[in-house]
Amino acid sequence: MSHFPNHFEENYLKALYKLQRKEIKKVNNIALAKYMELNPATVLEMVRKMADRGLVEILPDKTIQLTSQGEKKALLVIRKHRLWEVFLVEKLDYSWSEVHDLAEQLEHIQSEDLTNRLEAFLEFPAADPHGDPIPDKNGKLRTAAAINLLEGKTGKTYMVKSFGETADSFLDYLAKLSIRPGTLLRVLEWNAYDNSGSIEINNAIIQLSEKVAGNIFVQLHTT
Amino acid sequence: MSHFPNHFEENYLKALYKLQRKEIKKVNNIALAKYMELNPATVLEMVRKMADRGLVEILPDKTIQLTSQGEKKALLVIRKHRLWEVFLVEKLDYSWSEVHDLAEQLEHIQSEDLTNRLEAFLEFPAADPHGDPIPDKNGKLRTAAAINLLEGKTGKTYMVKSFGETADSFLDYLAKLSIRPGTLLRVLEWNAYDNSGSIEINNAIIQLSEKVAGNIFVQLHTT
DNA sequence: ATATATAATTTGGCTAACCAAATTTTATTA
DNA sequence: TAATAAAATTTGGTTAGCCAAATTATATAT
Ligand SMILES: [Mn+2]
Ligand SMILES: [Mn+2]
Ligand SMILES: [Mn+2]
Ligand SMILES: [Mn+2]
């Protein structure tokens, strides 16, 4: 009987969740192994165990996918991680750049009740010190309210959520720029003269007028 | 490379420290194994490793003894354990009877700095919720001030430390009752009528007058 | 001093999480 | 399509912490 089954499992779950969220590519065994800095044989073995436990599904094309149960568990680990980070910064005066490794230890403490009390003690923070949202006790990540792209901060990446205008001419223009819900936009600069923005999209740089940017609603995107 | 070397080692250290403190008997392999609910072969193996690491000494008569280094480490684990217990009770509103098992997990978090910040955050508590003193950052256990036996609480066990009277008649009387420094006394009841106490000593029950009890100084004894 | 109980130690084995080095698929690309 | 690259899988092996069952050594009691 192993002593720390959860510790390992939780790290695999988190890794899988992180990789999956990038949705750039399907997550395969090699990618997971690389990300976790482990040997592919090791990872394959563990992934199979987790499949038996119903946490993961191995699709016909060998893609590794979290089941809804697995995803929930992953989010509950992330919840713990982020709550502890808040604790470290808010209560123990750590700076936000120091807390990740400590949270990596604390996230494995096993007690739902403790986690919930910690959350209450911290007065239900919405996000961790890095701005990442904290899943609720059911593992639900309530999506942050979308903001106007004009409010986007220089250097940050945002995901397009919706638009504030339905005119065909507007939508056609967006289509021409390949902007649609889900598109990632990085704010490079706001130009003071006309409030237009320099935006990076798919490695290209485009200019958006104030009027256009003001009708694009986005959310902060964290890698 | 094992992932949790400290976790195991710390539990052995703590067990050894606890057993050693009873000082009833020398700690041998069997006793340690029984206390930890492990097989003697397992314990012997580990104890030898810890001897190599300089944490433990195996005396010629096979007694297992913490080295000063080992004792310090044990006390630092106990420090973490008790600080986390204070945190759980003071900040997360747990009752003192619920916190031990959680602290058993939290005591293994590795970060001296975190421990020290936690201590500061809790405003340097002298004792944990069960009244046990908290070692300082050097693993030094400052002995709690002795209290008058009259202040002893019903049900608690105290160790005799010193006396407030040197008259021969007093000391002779104590001798007759087998009370000397180191003796354990359990307060069963304080009798309101004459402030005398019913005290358990070596499985016998004796009565101590207010005058006698008032000249016995004790300290809380924790098993 | 001998029998007997207790403690210490050895031996052989288990499991979980890991790795390196094949080998076998499965994709890509020419 | 044949050659090649990449991914998946298998095989054999390691280590730490654990156990059961022998064996050997040391006490204890008669
Ligand atoms: Mn983090
Ligand atoms: Mn972790
Ligand atoms: Mn405790
Ligand atoms: Mn412990």
Side-chain angles (χ1 to χ4, degrees):
Chain A
M1 198 178 319
S2 168
H3 280 77
F4 309 101
N6 296 315
H7 196 293
F8 293 95
E9 185 179 285
E10 288 183 340
N11 282 339
Y12 276 89
L13 287 170
K14 245 185 25 165
L16 237 9
Y17 181 83
K18 295 260 155 100
L19 286 177
Q20 217 166 267
R21 260 194 64 266
K22 301 203 198 209
E23 52 189 293
I24 316 261
K25 277 196 193 155
K26 314 241 154 189
V27 181
N28 62 16
N29 193 48
I30 295 279
L32 182 55
K34 199 158 291 172
Y35 182 77
M36 296 188 77
E37 303 184 79
L38 290 173
N39 187 289
T42 302
V43 171
L44 183 59
E45 196 185 326
M46 183 58 161
V47 163
R48 282 171 172 168
K49 282 180 198 164
M50 290 172 68
D52 287 345
R53 293 176 201 145
L55 299 172
V56 130
E57 205 178 346
I58 303 171
L59 304 185
D61 72 336
K62 311 298 174 172
T63 295
I64 302 164
Q65 186 122 74
L66 286 171
T67 62
S68 62
Q69 203 206 137
E71 181 170 309
K72 179 177 175 183
K73 270 204 171 189
L75 282 160
L76 289 176
V77 180
I78 290 169
R79 167 177 165 80
K80 288 189 282 179
H81 182 102
R82 293 184 180 164
L83 283 171
W84 281 115
E85 285 189 340
V86 173
F87 170 73
L88 293 171
V89 168
E90 295 293 315
K91 305 296 183 182
L92 300 194
D93 280 323
Y94 277 98
S95 80
W96 63 272
S97 56
E98 302 173 294
V99 295
H100 184 79
D101 290 346
L102 287 171
E104 208 62 44
Q105 289 187 58
L106 288 159
E107 75 189 0
H108 300 292
I109 298 293
Q110 300 299 317
S111 167
E112 258 196 64
D113 183 51
L114 167 53
T115 307
N116 295 339
R117 286 181 190 235
L118 180 63
E119 183 182 36
F121 176 58
L122 299 171
E123 301 178 78
F124 301 91
D128 77 9
H130 313 93
D132 298 315
I134 296 175
D136 72 18
K137 68 182 74 186
N138 302 307
K140 285 276 184 302
L141 202 49
R142 69 180 153 323
T143 30
I147 61 166
N148 197 293
L149 178 55
L150 283 172
E151 296 165 38
K153 295 202 185 100
T154 303
K156 296 278 179 185
T157 299
Y158 298 85
M159 181 181 280
V160 175
K161 285 288 147 180
S162 56
F163 306 104
E165 161 79 89
T166 52
D168 275 6
S169 58
F170 177 64
L171 298 177
D172 287 349
Y173 182 51
L174 291 179
K176 201 179 306 179
L177 299 171
S178 331
I179 293 177
R180 53 178 164 273
T183 303
L184 295 182
L185 303 178
R186 199 159 84 94
V187 176
L188 298 177
E189 192 181 9
W190 291 111
N191 311 296
Y193 178 62
D194 63 355
N195 292 323
S196 71
S198 301
I199 308 289
E200 182 182 323
I201 170 175
N202 298 325
N203 301 311
I205 297 175
I206 61 173
Q207 303 296 318
L208 292 183
S209 70
E210 181 176 14
K211 188 171 177 191
V212 169
N215 280 310
I216 300 178
F217 295 100
V218 299
Q219 254 171 227
L220 188 58
H221 182 259
T222 55
T223 44
Chain B
M1 198 178 319
S2 168
H3 279 74
F4 310 101
N6 296 315
H7 196 293
F8 293 94
E9 186 179 282
E10 289 183 339
N11 281 339
Y12 276 89
L13 287 170
K14 245 185 25 166
L16 238 10
Y17 181 83
K18 296 259 155 101
L19 285 178
Q20 218 166 264
R21 259 196 63 264
K22 300 203 197 207
E23 52 190 293
I24 316 260
K25 278 198 191 151
K26 315 241 154 190
V27 181
N28 61 17
N29 193 48
I30 295 280
L32 182 55
K34 199 158 290 172
Y35 182 77
M36 297 188 76
E37 303 184 81
L38 290 174
N39 187 290
T42 302
V43 170
L44 182 60
E45 195 185 328
M46 184 59 160
V47 163
R48 281 171 172 166
K49 281 180 198 163
M50 291 173 66
D52 288 343
R53 294 176 201 146
L55 298 173
V56 130
E57 205 179 346
I58 303 172
L59 304 185
D61 72 336
K62 312 297 176 173
T63 296
I64 302 164
Q65 187 121 71
L66 287 172
T67 62
S68 62
Q69 202 206 138
E71 181 170 308
K72 180 177 174 183
K73 271 206 172 189
L75 281 159
L76 289 177
V77 180
I78 290 170
R79 167 176 164 79
K80 287 189 282 179
H81 182 102
R82 293 183 180 164
L83 283 172
W84 281 114
E85 284 190 340
V86 173
F87 170 73
L88 294 171
V89 168
E90 295 293 315
K91 305 298 182 181
L92 300 195
D93 280 323
Y94 277 98
S95 81
W96 62 272
S97 57
E98 303 173 295
V99 294
H100 184 78
D101 289 346
L102 287 171
E104 208 62 43
Q105 291 187 58
L106 288 158
E107 74 189 1
H108 300 294
I109 298 293
Q110 301 298 318
S111 168
E112 257 195 63
D113 183 51
L114 167 53
T115 308
N116 295 339
R117 286 181 191 234
L118 180 62
E119 183 183 34
F121 176 58
L122 299 171
E123 301 178 80
F124 300 91
D128 77 8
H130 313 94
D132 298 316
I134 296 174
D136 72 17
K137 68 183 72 184
N138 301 307
K140 285 277 183 303
L141 202 49
R142 69 183 153 319
T143 31
I147 61 166
N148 196 293
L149 178 55
L150 284 173
E151 296 167 39
K153 296 204 185 97
T154 302
K156 295 279 180 184
T157 300
Y158 297 85
M159 181 181 280
V160 175
K161 285 290 149 178
S162 57
F163 306 104
E165 162 77 271
T166 52
D168 274 8
S169 58
F170 178 64
L171 299 178
D172 287 350
Y173 182 53
L174 291 179
K176 200 178 306 178
L177 299 172
S178 333
I179 294 178
R180 54 178 163 273
T183 303
L184 295 183
L185 303 178
R186 198 160 84 94
V187 176
L188 298 177
E189 190 179 13
W190 291 111
N191 312 296
Y193 179 60
D194 62 355
N195 291 323
S196 71
S198 301
I199 308 291
E200 183 182 320
I201 170 174
N202 299 326
N203 301 311
I205 297 175
I206 60 173
Q207 302 298 319
L208 292 184
S209 70
E210 181 176 13
K211 188 171 176 191
V212 169
N215 280 310
I216 300 177
F217 294 99
V218 298
Q219 254 171 227
L220 188 59
H221 182 259
T222 55
T223 45

